Amino acid sequence: MKKLLWCLLWAPFFCAAQSYSLKPLNEHTKTSLRGLSVVSDRVTWVSGSNGAVGKTTDGGITWKWMNPKGYEKIDFRDIEAFDDKQAIIVGIASPAYILKTIDGGETWTENYKNVDSAIFLDGLSFWDKNKGIIFGDPINDKMQLLKTVDAGKSWQDISKNLQINLTKGEASFAASGTTIKTLPGGKTWIATGGTVSNIYYSSDYGQNWEVFKCPILQGEGSTGPFSIDFFNEKTGIVVGGNYLKDKESSNNVLLTKDGGKTWQKPASPVLGFRSGVTYIDAKTLVATGTSGTDISTNGGQHWKHISDKSFNAVQRAKKGRTVFLAGNNGVIYQLYMDK
């Protein structure tokens, strides 16, 4: 009776006939993978250090690795892919680059370069196939914002649109390229951390912005939100913590039901620092980081730790239900959920 009551009240998914497993697809590649774009159940692109970009077109069975010529030493922290031919990669630090391929990675075109010693791009996201946004750490207290309306062929600096100055020591983390989230129609969320943590929100393609407080762990250069995701315009999640203390679970996950205006702690936290989070459906979420991976099957209220394996990023297929995780040493795994 006590076990039944516990199951009903606190952890229904622990008692369900659901099992989870992680299957390795690639390992021991000399790159730290942080960029991840799962296009479909068959097509996925990854990017990382040492100028590395990887692609699968058969669901992860085989991978093609490439290094854009002339950019072999660049750290490509984020990637956005549209199909097996078209992808955009972002090299984060000075000089910062944005490259695009339209032939599956055979050739790459440089569409943006910034040699400012202070430039540091954190992530990109697209509202649709043509309109996208990239953001970066502040320069002179101003968050850097770039926008494209031609599928990444050109980028316009729209930093002036965000008229709110960032606090000293406030910036974002490029741990997985997912401290930014967009939804169709121009909705955008950007999470910052460090000395303070905020959520910057735009409903009109980055023209106007609001700022909401995010009460996640903060106050130090290694603390704050490291990943954000929204299931719809109201329901979202943010994860993070302290990457220097990656096994601590203090105030490292928050949920919102009003589009990021307010945030609440779940009934139980994720088990340690997390740098990636994704919705599989309205109830099922996956969070991962250097100290392991957790799953929730009740909207993020309770979490089950399923692996101690280290990862940086996690994402569900845009068209499909395949879930991939990526990390250091070229690690790419697939999540399986079996009943």
Side-chain angles (χ1 to χ4, degrees):
M1 178 61 72
K2 289 184 178 180
K3 180 179 179 181
L4 177 60
L5 184 61
W6 180 81
C7 291
L8 291 173
L9 294 179
W10 295 105
F13 58 88
F14 288 131
C15 305
Q18 181 90 47
S19 62
Y20 309 93
S21 59
L22 294 173
K23 176 185 176 182
L25 302 175
N26 185 83
E27 294 183 282
H28 310 303
T29 303
K30 292 183 179 180
T31 182
S32 170
L33 296 175
R34 296 184 183 275
L36 176 62
S37 186
V38 188
V39 179
S40 66
D41 290 335
R42 297 191 63 81
V43 177
T44 293
W45 295 67
V46 294
S47 65
S49 60
N50 301 316
V53 179
K55 180 184 69 170
T56 181
T57 58
D58 56 15
I61 298 173
T62 60
W63 292 83
K64 177 181 180 181
W65 292 95
M66 60 203 85
N67 294 85
K69 188 176 180 180
Y71 306 90
E72 292 85 357
K73 295 183 179 180
I74 302 300
D75 190 357
F76 293 116
R77 289 282 185 97
D78 203 3
I79 184 168
E80 182 81 18
F82 304 94
D83 50 40
D84 63 333
K85 299 296 184 182
Q86 300 182 73
I88 295 170
I89 49 178
V90 178
I92 55 172
S94 181
Y97 296 100
I98 303 173
L99 310 181
K100 181 176 181 178
T101 182
I102 59 173
D103 57 10
E106 296 296 326
T107 61
W108 296 82
T109 301
E110 179 186 302
N111 293 323
Y112 176 87
K113 180 179 180 180
N114 191 322
V115 298
D116 190 319
S117 61
I119 194 69
F120 193 96
L121 302 178
D122 294 297
L124 79 157
S125 191
F126 272 71
W127 298 288
D128 55 44
K129 65 179 182 179
N130 291 313
K131 299 184 183 70
I133 186 170
I134 293 176
F135 84 105
D137 285 351
I139 297 178
N140 297 324
D141 302 324
K142 292 290 187 180
M143 180 186 293
Q144 299 303 292
L145 295 168
L146 303 171
K147 181 179 177 181
T148 182
V149 295
D150 56 11
K153 294 178 183 178
S154 63
W155 294 87
Q156 176 190 4
D157 188 335
I158 61 165
S159 304
K160 66 180 184 304
N161 291 355
L162 179 53
Q163 299 181 7
I164 306 163
N165 285 356
L166 273 65
T167 302
K168 184 178 180 179
E170 177 188 1
S172 288
F173 298 101
S176 62
T178 55
T179 42
I180 184 171
K181 174 68 179 183
T182 59
L183 288 178
K187 299 174 182 63
T188 312
W189 295 264
I190 296 173
T192 61
T195 53
V196 298
S197 176
N198 288 308
I199 304 296
Y200 294 86
Y201 173 70
S202 172
S203 62
D204 56 4
Y205 298 99
Q207 296 303 306
N208 298 282
W209 295 85
E210 299 176 76
V211 59
F212 310 130
K213 295 296 183 182
C214 181
I216 200 169
L217 182 67
Q218 58 195 270
E220 302 177 37
S222 57
T223 61
F226 282 71
S227 183
I228 190 170
D229 196 20
F230 275 79
F231 182 72
N232 55 38
E233 61 182 84
K234 296 295 184 183
T235 304
I237 184 171
V238 62
V239 300
N242 187 340
Y243 75 85
L244 296 179
K245 301 176 181 178
D246 68 351
K247 294 184 179 180
E248 292 190 1
S249 301
S250 174
N251 191 21
N252 59 351
V253 55
L254 297 172
L255 304 170
T256 182
K257 294 295 184 183
D258 57 12
K261 294 179 181 179
T262 61
W263 297 86
Q264 297 79 39
K265 291 183 179 181
S268 66
V270 290
L271 195 63
F273 161 77
R274 297 292 176 259
S275 57
V277 66
T278 189
Y279 280 90
I280 297 177
D281 55 41
K283 295 294 184 181
T284 312
L285 300 90
V286 183
T288 197
T290 52
S291 60
T293 299
D294 309 304
I295 285 185
S296 172
T297 59
N298 61 357
Q301 284 298 327
H302 297 88
W303 295 86
K304 180 179 182 180
H305 189 68
I306 63 167
S307 173
D308 293 330
K309 183 76 176 178
S310 174
F311 297 101
N312 296 322
V314 60
Q315 191 177 111
R316 194 204 76 174
K318 301 173 188 177
K319 299 177 181 179
R321 287 182 61 85
T322 298
V323 177
F324 280 172
L325 302 93
N328 298 332
N329 299 315
V331 168
I332 306 171
Y333 275 56
Q334 183 173 352
L335 172 68
Y336 287 88
M337 294 176 287
D338 304 310
K339 290 188 177 182

